Amino acid sequence: MKKSCGDETYEKFVVPCGNFSLKAQAVFAGGQTTAFSAEAALTKVTVPVNVDAIIFWFVHDAQKAALNITNYREAIDRAAQTLLREMIGSSMLASLLSERSATDELMRIEIGRKTSDWGISVKSVEIRDVAIPVALQDAMSRQAQAERGKQARVMLGSAEDAIAENSLRPP
């Protein structure tokens, strides 16, 4: 039985529990979000990172959500968190930082595969933040500065060579 309350739609099921008792469960049928994170998860190159993400999902089959899993909200959170840790562990830090949209889409597909049997569809997954240790941030900053300095010296050397070459030409 579907019931609306304002903009929200619920489906209510009576679920048999044993031979004599009944349990009523309301399943919210609108779009929902679940925030999840992985703290101090190690990347493929053993760099610890903290990653925050959010999943946008909805119940496409309220009967499955009520019958196939005890607590679908908690199960979505655990499945997403576990997959996030697996993704971090198999990723290089650089790709984790630079290829977020590809990671988001892969996670959406994988979480959706796990949750479809529970009557849940995943609309999208978004990695909101990837935090790396401060010491590593400092080291990466120094490396980037050194690289910019090297490029500046190469450009200066090229300019000096061009000036020297022009000054040696007869007028």
Side-chain angles (χ1 to χ4, degrees), residues 62-75:
Q63 186 172 358
K64 284 183 177 181
L67 297 174
N68 290 0
I69 189 127
T70 304
N71 183 338
Y72 64 89
R73 285 183 174 92
E74 185 177 317

Side-chain angles (χ1 to χ4, degrees), residues 145-164:
Q145 286 175 330
E147 187 63 33
R148 284 191 299 272
K150 177 182 169 187
Q151 289 173 352
R153 285 189 300 278
V154 168
M155 288 175 62
L156 180 61
S158 295
E160 288 175 349
D161 286 347
I163 291 170

Side-chain angles (χ1 to χ4, degrees), residues 80-152:
Q81 193 172 44
T82 300
L83 183 62
L84 180 60
R85 287 188 165 279
E86 289 174 8
M87 296 289 287
I88 292 168
S90 64
S91 298
M92 301 297 284
L93 179 60
S95 66
L96 191 61
L97 294 170
S98 65
E99 299 171 6
R100 284 191 189 183
S101 57
T103 302
D104 292 346
E105 181 61 15
L106 184 57
M107 287 186 62
R108 183 194 67 77
I109 291 167
E110 290 300 317
I111 296 169
R113 187 176 296 143
K114 289 182 179 185
T115 61
S116 65
D117 291 341
W118 309 333
I120 308 297
S121 292
V122 177
K123 289 178 86 171
S124 67
V125 175
E126 295 177 11
I127 294 177
R128 296 187 300 181
D129 188 33
V130 178
I132 59 177
V134 175
L136 182 58
Q137 288 178 24
D138 292 343
M140 290 170 72
S141 177
R142 286 191 304 274
Q143 180 182 6
Q145 286 175 330
E147 187 63 33
R148 284 191 299 272
K150 177 182 169 187
Q151 289 173 352

